[in-house]
Amino acid sequence: MAPRDEISASKPVKVVSKTNLNNGGSEYCSSEASGTQHSRSPKTSPHDKDTGSIKPSSSSSNGTKRSVSLSRPTETSTSLTQQSLSEAPKSAPSTGSGKSSKKKSKKGLLANIAGTRYECVRESLEHCGFATIRDERDDPNCLLYWSDLAVPNERISEMKPYQKINHFPGMGEICRKDALAKNMMKIQKIFPSDYDFVPKTWTMPQDANTFLNYAKESSKKRKKTKTFIAKPSNGAMGNGIRLFRSAEKAPLDENYIVQEYLDKPMLIEGFKFDMRVYVLVTSCDPLKVFLFKDGLVRISTKTYVAPSEQNIDELYMHLTNYSVNKFSANYEKDEDESKGSKRNFEFLNEWLANGSYDVQKVWREIADVIVKTLIVAEPHLIHQYRMCRPGVSPLADSTCFEILGFDIFLDRKGKPWLLEINRSPSFGTNEKIDLNIKSALLQQTFKLLRVRASDKKRCLTNQKMESQRRLFNGHRRLAIEQWDKSKAAKVRKKEQLQIQLAALRRESMRQEYESKNLGKFRKIFPIDDRMQLEKYIGILSKGFDILLAGRAGQLQKEVISNYKNPHHEADLLDLIEQCECEEGGDMSTFNSGYRKPLVPKPLSSMPSSASPMRHYSRKGGGTEEDNSSDESDEDDDNSDATDNNDTNRNDTTITSHDMKSHGFHRNSETNSSLIEKKSINKRPKQSSQLSKSRKVERPTLISRSSTRSLSSLRFESNRSLPPSKRKKDDSDLIQLYEALSELNIKFPGKSDEEANEILNSILDNWRYHKPRVASYWLVKLDSVKRQKVVDIVRNNVRSIVQRFHENEDIDKLNVTKCLNKVFNRMLWSHGQGLWSCLNHTTRGPAPWETVFRSGGEMLSNVEMGCCKIAVELCKDCLLVVYQFANQSRTELNLGAHSVSSANPGNSAVT
Ligand code: ADP
């Protein structure tokens, strides 16, 4: 059932019309600025009927002694005409005819604005590349819907996963005055000092007695008479508001809230004011909140005097609504945003600073008020959102977003108080200041939301893949379950982890985008300040109990645990790896088509080599290196790719798209790899000595950093194995180590010597390159591309391990597990893992070695040596990719298609 605050708009989004507003309740009214946006017929408006509203006249400012409400039917209708001149859309909102006014969008973005009357919304959308239509029918091509009114939950349920709408279900819990009062009262009982920013409030008629008792008690205690303000529970724009000083005048039997009147406001030039603070919520699951740094300061039009029986009806003195004050003869419109009755926050900040207020502190407290208020809404939001979008994929973007208008009052001490929250703030722009602030707010919102034309296609593809995966996994699980129940559980666990990993990577990409496109927004939840965040989470956790009365225990557990223990990429990778190891060879019969359903696409990164990769025979013993001609090398390379090296081919091929995005040139070769494999004989007849292999000078960073000295390694040998097996395994490992040490990172179009020079020159000029490499690796590349860089090394190393263990499941080998850990560590913390290795100059253990310390693994020194090589290759690989990307940008026709043959001096393994 739709909550009571979301009952009006019908599918897809009702156009705002007088009828809607008159019937639908005023929570659908946009508020803040233009009272002229919505008229309410005195006959049908419950508020007007209840209060018998009268029109304030100039006499009121001269001291009319009556408590009045603020509806002014005649004036409203007059100004509505004026308003329509400046506000009404050029093409009137659709009335359901289905007529569309579609204009072409260059970007292929389409927004449905049938639900809004604001030109500013349309213009901002079009400014951001959207074509707009006014059509009440559902259009599957529409990516964004805008409605001035709240929308029913059913409407949100109907949204396609790639569509967005500007309201959340459940937001009425803080946007209706009575609901806000009820929820705040509950939370204040548990957290009184945290929620002391809402004036004491009673909801009529149920709190009538409590209110009367309070009024009686306080008049006994204090000599001064208290002033109260009564507002219609579902009111807006100052309608029906009255001030009173004696409890008997309270609207005890009506749907009103009564509040203590804050009688010591901060004044600007002697006038009371309030702030319209705009807040963007982009998601509720999890909660994400952005504060817009600009907004409106709305100043009243009659000099403020503390409330008394004489001035209690002076609406231009006590209320700051634009919709009230615009009728005052003293209302000032000014082109200058630091003058007039509406001003911007730049003015306010300057004014606060001049008045010796701590501006930072004021804003910190305002952000705190906003976050705490949204925390009160969050259990409702998340609960209703999940009900509307059951089974929504964790990979999906939020269907809802919302721009809220927080009305904040500053008292004389600079303390912010929450007056109310508008879920449909006005986007009327009849003053220049409105246009400037609101169009910037809207445009930056659309940018931050990152709606893309490809969203629909991507989403449909994902859905298809997901359902295929489910179908496939369902069959597979069934088969496994029949075979072994515990295995099936493991498979499920791994699937879950893979989904989490994909969601995490998507989220980190989203965050990266957001941080680059904040504009005037500031992210206020979640925040980096761990202590503060924990405090908010503590409140949220309790909030679930008291606001949902324990109705959603499971949801609470899940949400809080996600906030408290956010997943880290490295942990998930480790867990997946663990699952894979546990799965082991037993699963081989079930593995086809199962692997890597969700891991990012394999690396695309470097162009392939026109020149050959060295022959690298699969069959043991007699493999010989063929340096005689490039042609034969090429043949070898290809056959290697097609016959033996599927993993390599699949996982290191560059797509032209990725190449372009890296600034790489297109290349037709498929089996390209950054890794140059020297001829490696599997199990050569003569066993070589490690020291020998170390003597071979490798023209790469690896030799430069001389990390392959096994003597420096202090790790356990394979002691857990029986001596005979240990010996054999050790010698296998040594050969593997030697094979790995023959790997070089190729630089497209360069010989090994040239590549070496390039890399040396990067290291020689490290001070220059360091920030550039950091920004390339940590900022420019997103997590998927970072993964691809590491995968170049990972896949090549893996293929070599496989060659040495032809008929074995290499995932079961200790060395593979260790190597996997190392590769995962390279990607750890958004690439910090590899970056800290590259940046590690001090003596002592390298940063990546801690992956083994914590797990208490037993590594033989050769295994450790293999890991070191892997790390060095990753470092080389990053530098080459970085340099290549740089170079490609500057030299468009770099001869990247020819790669030198391997340095003969390095190629042989003796
Ligand atoms: P509406 O939604 O009808 O605008 P508000 O709660 O925003 O109702 O109140 C309208 C105006 O009344 C505010 O802008 C503010 O100036 C004044 N006001 C409201 N509540 C209080 C209060 N508790 N103390 C002092 N002034 C108040």
PDB file of all heavy atoms in Angstrom, residues 56-82:
ATOM      1  N   PRO A  56      -3.644  38.892   4.830  1.00  0.00           N
ATOM      2  CA  PRO A  56      -2.938  39.902   5.600  1.00  0.00           C
ATOM      3  C   PRO A  56      -2.867  41.173   4.769  1.00  0.00           C
ATOM      4  O   PRO A  56      -2.666  41.135   3.571  1.00  0.00           O
ATOM      5  CB  PRO A  56      -1.548  39.299   5.774  1.00  0.00           C
ATOM      6  CG  PRO A  56      -1.391  38.341   4.680  1.00  0.00           C
ATOM      7  CD  PRO A  56      -2.742  37.934   4.244  1.00  0.00           C
ATOM      8  N   SER A  57      -3.078  42.233   5.387  1.00  0.00           N
ATOM      9  CA  SER A  57      -3.024  43.484   4.640  1.00  0.00           C
ATOM     10  C   SER A  57      -1.956  44.342   5.248  1.00  0.00           C
ATOM     11  O   SER A  57      -1.336  43.995   6.248  1.00  0.00           O
ATOM     12  CB  SER A  57      -4.368  44.178   4.730  1.00  0.00           C
ATOM     13  OG  SER A  57      -4.595  44.491   6.083  1.00  0.00           O
ATOM     14  N   SER A  58      -1.790  45.502   4.698  1.00  0.00           N
ATOM     15  CA  SER A  58      -0.777  46.383   5.263  1.00  0.00           C
ATOM     16  C   SER A  58      -1.128  46.711   6.695  1.00  0.00           C
ATOM     17  O   SER A  58      -0.284  47.022   7.513  1.00  0.00           O
ATOM     18  CB  SER A  58      -0.664  47.646   4.414  1.00  0.00           C
ATOM     19  OG  SER A  58      -1.955  48.153   4.203  1.00  0.00           O
ATOM     20  N   SER A  59      -2.421  46.591   7.012  1.00  0.00           N
ATOM     21  CA  SER A  59      -2.789  46.882   8.398  1.00  0.00           C
ATOM     22  C   SER A  59      -2.121  45.907   9.347  1.00  0.00           C
ATOM     23  O   SER A  59      -1.827  46.252  10.475  1.00  0.00           O
ATOM     24  CB  SER A  59      -4.296  46.829   8.572  1.00  0.00           C
ATOM     25  OG  SER A  59      -4.732  45.512   8.367  1.00  0.00           O
ATOM     26  N   SER A  60      -1.885  44.673   8.863  1.00  0.00           N
ATOM     27  CA  SER A  60      -1.255  43.718   9.770  1.00  0.00           C
ATOM     28  C   SER A  60       0.132  44.185  10.143  1.00  0.00           C
ATOM     29  O   SER A  60       0.567  44.021  11.267  1.00  0.00           O
ATOM     30  CB  SER A  60      -1.233  42.317   9.149  1.00  0.00           C
ATOM     31  OG  SER A  60      -0.188  42.222   8.239  1.00  0.00           O
ATOM     32  N   SER A  61       0.804  44.755   9.191  1.00  0.00           N
ATOM     33  CA  SER A  61       2.128  45.216   9.538  1.00  0.00           C
ATOM     34  C   SER A  61       2.049  46.415  10.455  1.00  0.00           C
ATOM     35  O   SER A  61       2.997  46.809  11.112  1.00  0.00           O
ATOM     36  CB  SER A  61       2.931  45.541   8.274  1.00  0.00           C
ATOM     37  OG  SER A  61       2.237  46.517   7.550  1.00  0.00           O
ATOM     38  N   ASN A  62       0.894  46.993  10.521  1.00  0.00           N
ATOM     39  CA  ASN A  62       0.766  48.105  11.467  1.00  0.00           C
ATOM     40  C   ASN A  62       0.216  47.637  12.801  1.00  0.00           C
ATOM     41  O   ASN A  62      -0.143  48.425  13.649  1.00  0.00           O
ATOM     42  CB  ASN A  62      -0.174  49.178  10.900  1.00  0.00           C
ATOM     43  CG  ASN A  62       0.427  49.756   9.638  1.00  0.00           C
ATOM     44  OD1 ASN A  62       1.646  49.759   9.502  1.00  0.00           O
ATOM     45  ND2 ASN A  62      -0.411  50.207   8.724  1.00  0.00           N
ATOM     46  N   GLY A  63       0.112  46.367  12.946  1.00  0.00           N
ATOM     47  CA  GLY A  63      -0.270  45.860  14.252  1.00  0.00           C
ATOM     48  C   GLY A  63      -1.654  45.308  14.355  1.00  0.00           C
ATOM     49  O   GLY A  63      -2.331  45.495  15.352  1.00  0.00           O
ATOM     50  N   THR A  64      -2.123  44.590  13.364  1.00  0.00           N
ATOM     51  CA  THR A  64      -3.410  43.899  13.490  1.00  0.00           C
ATOM     52  C   THR A  64      -3.310  42.893  14.616  1.00  0.00           C
ATOM     53  O   THR A  64      -2.323  42.179  14.722  1.00  0.00           O
ATOM     54  CB  THR A  64      -3.759  43.182  12.175  1.00  0.00           C
ATOM     55  OG1 THR A  64      -3.634  44.121  11.134  1.00  0.00           O
ATOM     56  CG2 THR A  64      -5.143  42.608  12.194  1.00  0.00           C
ATOM     57  N   LYS A  65      -4.305  42.789  15.468  1.00  0.00           N
ATOM     58  CA  LYS A  65      -4.147  41.967  16.669  1.00  0.00           C
ATOM     59  C   LYS A  65      -4.840  40.622  16.540  1.00  0.00           C
ATOM     60  O   LYS A  65      -5.484  40.159  17.433  1.00  0.00           O
ATOM     61  CB  LYS A  65      -4.724  42.694  17.888  1.00  0.00           C
ATOM     62  CG  LYS A  65      -4.429  44.147  17.963  1.00  0.00           C
ATOM     63  CD  LYS A  65      -3.393  44.422  19.007  1.00  0.00           C
ATOM     64  CE  LYS A  65      -3.054  45.862  19.206  1.00  0.00           C
ATOM     65  NZ  LYS A  65      -2.997  46.712  18.052  1.00  0.00           N
ATOM     66  N   ARG A  66      -4.819  40.031  15.402  1.00  0.00           N
ATOM     67  CA  ARG A  66      -5.478  38.743  15.278  1.00  0.00           C
ATOM     68  C   ARG A  66      -4.500  37.691  14.827  1.00  0.00           C
ATOM     69  O   ARG A  66      -3.589  37.953  14.069  1.00  0.00           O
ATOM     70  CB  ARG A  66      -6.601  38.827  14.248  1.00  0.00           C
ATOM     71  CG  ARG A  66      -7.879  39.330  14.838  1.00  0.00           C
ATOM     72  CD  ARG A  66      -8.963  39.271  13.804  1.00  0.00           C
ATOM     73  NE  ARG A  66      -9.154  37.901  13.336  1.00  0.00           N
ATOM     74  CZ  ARG A  66      -9.892  37.626  12.285  1.00  0.00           C
ATOM     75  NH1 ARG A  66     -10.475  38.577  11.595  1.00  0.00           N
ATOM     76  NH2 ARG A  66     -10.041  36.373  11.911  1.00  0.00           N
ATOM     77  N   SER A  67      -4.746  36.516  15.326  1.00  0.00           N
ATOM     78  CA  SER A  67      -3.953  35.405  14.824  1.00  0.00           C
ATOM     79  C   SER A  67      -4.530  35.016  13.467  1.00  0.00           C
ATOM     80  O   SER A  67      -5.728  34.813  13.340  1.00  0.00           O
ATOM     81  CB  SER A  67      -4.091  34.241  15.808  1.00  0.00           C
ATOM     82  OG  SER A  67      -3.493  33.127  15.280  1.00  0.00           O
ATOM     83  N   VAL A  68      -3.704  34.969  12.478  1.00  0.00           N
ATOM     84  CA  VAL A  68      -4.251  34.748  11.144  1.00  0.00           C
ATOM     85  C   VAL A  68      -3.525  33.621  10.444  1.00  0.00           C
ATOM     86  O   VAL A  68      -2.419  33.258  10.815  1.00  0.00           O
ATOM     87  CB  VAL A  68      -4.089  36.011  10.265  1.00  0.00           C
ATOM     88  CG1 VAL A  68      -4.944  37.122  10.780  1.00  0.00           C
ATOM     89  CG2 VAL A  68      -2.629  36.412  10.165  1.00  0.00           C
ATOM     90  N   SER A  69      -4.176  33.115   9.441  1.00  0.00           N
ATOM     91  CA  SER A  69      -3.459  32.199   8.570  1.00  0.00           C
ATOM     92  C   SER A  69      -3.049  32.968   7.327  1.00  0.00           C
ATOM     93  O   SER A  69      -3.490  34.089   7.121  1.00  0.00           O
ATOM     94  CB  SER A  69      -4.324  31.005   8.209  1.00  0.00           C
ATOM     95  OG  SER A  69      -5.180  31.405   7.186  1.00  0.00           O
ATOM     96  N   LEU A  70      -2.214  32.311   6.530  1.00  0.00           N
ATOM     97  CA  LEU A  70      -1.566  33.109   5.504  1.00  0.00           C
ATOM     98  C   LEU A  70      -2.056  32.882   4.093  1.00  0.00           C
ATOM     99  O   LEU A  70      -1.446  33.355   3.158  1.00  0.00           O
ATOM    100  CB  LEU A  70      -0.062  32.839   5.563  1.00  0.00           C
ATOM    101  CG  LEU A  70       0.509  33.153   6.913  1.00  0.00           C
ATOM    102  CD1 LEU A  70       1.974  32.807   6.919  1.00  0.00           C
ATOM    103  CD2 LEU A  70       0.296  34.607   7.261  1.00  0.00           C
ATOM    104  N   SER A  71      -3.146  32.161   3.947  1.00  0.00           N
ATOM    105  CA  SER A  71      -3.601  31.948   2.572  1.00  0.00           C
ATOM    106  C   SER A  71      -4.221  33.220   2.029  1.00  0.00           C
ATOM    107  O   SER A  71      -5.022  33.875   2.695  1.00  0.00           O
ATOM    108  CB  SER A  71      -4.626  30.828   2.536  1.00  0.00           C
ATOM    109  OG  SER A  71      -4.014  29.667   2.988  1.00  0.00           O
ATOM    110  N   ARG A  72      -3.849  33.535   0.835  1.00  0.00           N
ATOM    111  CA  ARG A  72      -4.363  34.762   0.222  1.00  0.00           C
ATOM    112  C   ARG A  72      -4.864  34.434  -1.165  1.00  0.00           C
ATOM    113  O   ARG A  72      -4.162  34.612  -2.144  1.00  0.00           O
ATOM    114  CB  ARG A  72      -3.267  35.816   0.131  1.00  0.00           C
ATOM    115  CG  ARG A  72      -2.904  36.382   1.459  1.00  0.00           C
ATOM    116  CD  ARG A  72      -1.585  37.031   1.364  1.00  0.00           C
ATOM    117  NE  ARG A  72      -0.580  36.064   0.998  1.00  0.00           N
ATOM    118  CZ  ARG A  72       0.027  35.270   1.862  1.00  0.00           C
ATOM    119  NH1 ARG A  72      -0.234  35.369   3.137  1.00  0.00           N
ATOM    120  NH2 ARG A  72       0.900  34.384   1.452  1.00  0.00           N
ATOM    121  N   PRO A  73      -6.063  33.917  -1.227  1.00  0.00           N
ATOM    122  CA  PRO A  73      -6.535  33.428  -2.510  1.00  0.00           C
ATOM    123  C   PRO A  73      -6.443  34.464  -3.626  1.00  0.00           C
ATOM    124  O   PRO A  73      -5.947  34.182  -4.681  1.00  0.00           O
ATOM    125  CB  PRO A  73      -7.985  33.024  -2.259  1.00  0.00           C
ATOM    126  CG  PRO A  73      -8.252  33.251  -0.827  1.00  0.00           C
ATOM    127  CD  PRO A  73      -7.042  33.776  -0.165  1.00  0.00           C
ATOM    128  N   THR A  74      -6.887  35.648  -3.366  1.00  0.00           N
ATOM    129  CA  THR A  74      -6.946  36.618  -4.462  1.00  0.00           C
ATOM    130  C   THR A  74      -5.553  36.955  -4.962  1.00  0.00           C
ATOM    131  O   THR A  74      -5.276  36.942  -6.135  1.00  0.00           O
ATOM    132  CB  THR A  74      -7.655  37.908  -4.027  1.00  0.00           C
ATOM    133  OG1 THR A  74      -7.096  38.269  -2.779  1.00  0.00           O
ATOM    134  CG2 THR A  74      -9.141  37.708  -3.908  1.00  0.00           C
ATOM    135  N   GLU A  75      -4.667  37.205  -4.002  1.00  0.00           N
ATOM    136  CA  GLU A  75      -3.327  37.594  -4.410  1.00  0.00           C
ATOM    137  C   GLU A  75      -2.620  36.439  -5.112  1.00  0.00           C
ATOM    138  O   GLU A  75      -1.900  36.643  -6.072  1.00  0.00           O
ATOM    139  CB  GLU A  75      -2.523  38.028  -3.198  1.00  0.00           C
ATOM    140  CG  GLU A  75      -2.967  39.393  -2.727  1.00  0.00           C
ATOM    141  CD  GLU A  75      -2.296  39.726  -1.446  1.00  0.00           C
ATOM    142  OE1 GLU A  75      -1.216  40.305  -1.490  1.00  0.00           O
ATOM    143  OE2 GLU A  75      -2.841  39.386  -0.405  1.00  0.00           O
ATOM    144  N   THR A  76      -2.868  35.246  -4.609  1.00  0.00           N
ATOM    145  CA  THR A  76      -2.207  34.091  -5.209  1.00  0.00           C
ATOM    146  C   THR A  76      -2.602  33.943  -6.664  1.00  0.00           C
ATOM    147  O   THR A  76      -1.785  33.757  -7.523  1.00  0.00           O
ATOM    148  CB  THR A  76      -2.563  32.808  -4.443  1.00  0.00           C
ATOM    149  OG1 THR A  76      -2.286  33.039  -3.099  1.00  0.00           O
ATOM    150  CG2 THR A  76      -1.774  31.632  -4.944  1.00  0.00           C
ATOM    151  N   SER A  77      -3.908  34.099  -6.887  1.00  0.00           N
ATOM    152  CA  SER A  77      -4.316  33.890  -8.265  1.00  0.00           C
ATOM    153  C   SER A  77      -3.782  34.989  -9.174  1.00  0.00           C
ATOM    154  O   SER A  77      -3.413  34.738 -10.301  1.00  0.00           O
ATOM    155  CB  SER A  77      -5.836  33.763  -8.366  1.00  0.00           C
ATOM    156  OG  SER A  77      -6.417  34.844  -7.697  1.00  0.00           O
ATOM    157  N   THR A  78      -3.694  36.198  -8.654  1.00  0.00           N
ATOM    158  CA  THR A  78      -3.130  37.268  -9.465  1.00  0.00           C
ATOM    159  C   THR A  78      -1.702  36.932  -9.842  1.00  0.00           C
ATOM    160  O   THR A  78      -1.309  36.981 -10.992  1.00  0.00           O
ATOM    161  CB  THR A  78      -3.094  38.594  -8.662  1.00  0.00           C
ATOM    162  OG1 THR A  78      -4.318  38.743  -8.039  1.00  0.00           O
ATOM    163  CG2 THR A  78      -2.774  39.768  -9.550  1.00  0.00           C
ATOM    164  N   SER A  79      -0.958  36.562  -8.806  1.00  0.00           N
ATOM    165  CA  SER A  79       0.451  36.375  -9.094  1.00  0.00           C
ATOM    166  C   SER A  79       0.691  35.082  -9.861  1.00  0.00           C
ATOM    167  O   SER A  79       1.709  34.927 -10.490  1.00  0.00           O
ATOM    168  CB  SER A  79       1.274  36.400  -7.832  1.00  0.00           C
ATOM    169  OG  SER A  79       0.932  35.320  -7.077  1.00  0.00           O
ATOM    170  N   LEU A  80      -0.267  34.181  -9.788  1.00  0.00           N
ATOM    171  CA  LEU A  80      -0.106  32.969 -10.589  1.00  0.00           C
ATOM    172  C   LEU A  80      -0.058  33.332 -12.075  1.00  0.00           C
ATOM    173  O   LEU A  80       0.705  32.779 -12.846  1.00  0.00           O
ATOM    174  CB  LEU A  80      -1.265  32.006 -10.327  1.00  0.00           C
ATOM    175  CG  LEU A  80      -1.066  30.639 -10.942  1.00  0.00           C
ATOM    176  CD1 LEU A  80       0.020  29.892 -10.197  1.00  0.00           C
ATOM    177  CD2 LEU A  80      -2.333  29.857 -10.938  1.00  0.00           C
ATOM    178  N   THR A  81      -0.869  34.322 -12.422  1.00  0.00           N
ATOM    179  CA  THR A  81      -0.846  34.764 -13.809  1.00  0.00           C
ATOM    180  C   THR A  81       0.521  35.345 -14.130  1.00  0.00           C
ATOM    181  O   THR A  81       1.132  35.025 -15.140  1.00  0.00           O
ATOM    182  CB  THR A  81      -1.907  35.858 -14.032  1.00  0.00           C
ATOM    183  OG1 THR A  81      -3.007  35.558 -13.234  1.00  0.00           O
ATOM    184  CG2 THR A  81      -2.275  35.959 -15.486  1.00  0.00           C
ATOM    185  N   GLN A  82       0.991  36.175 -13.208  1.00  0.00           N
ATOM    186  CA  GLN A  82       2.317  36.754 -13.442  1.00  0.00           C
ATOM    187  C   GLN A  82       3.352  35.645 -13.512  1.00  0.00           C
ATOM    188  O   GLN A  82       4.206  35.612 -14.366  1.00  0.00           O
ATOM    189  CB  GLN A  82       2.702  37.682 -12.276  1.00  0.00           C
ATOM    190  CG  GLN A  82       1.938  38.977 -12.294  1.00  0.00           C
ATOM    191  CD  GLN A  82       2.014  39.663 -10.945  1.00  0.00           C
ATOM    192  OE1 GLN A  82       2.633  39.145 -10.023  1.00  0.00           O
ATOM    193  NE2 GLN A  82       1.404  40.811 -10.844  1.00  0.00           N
TER     194      GLN A  82
END
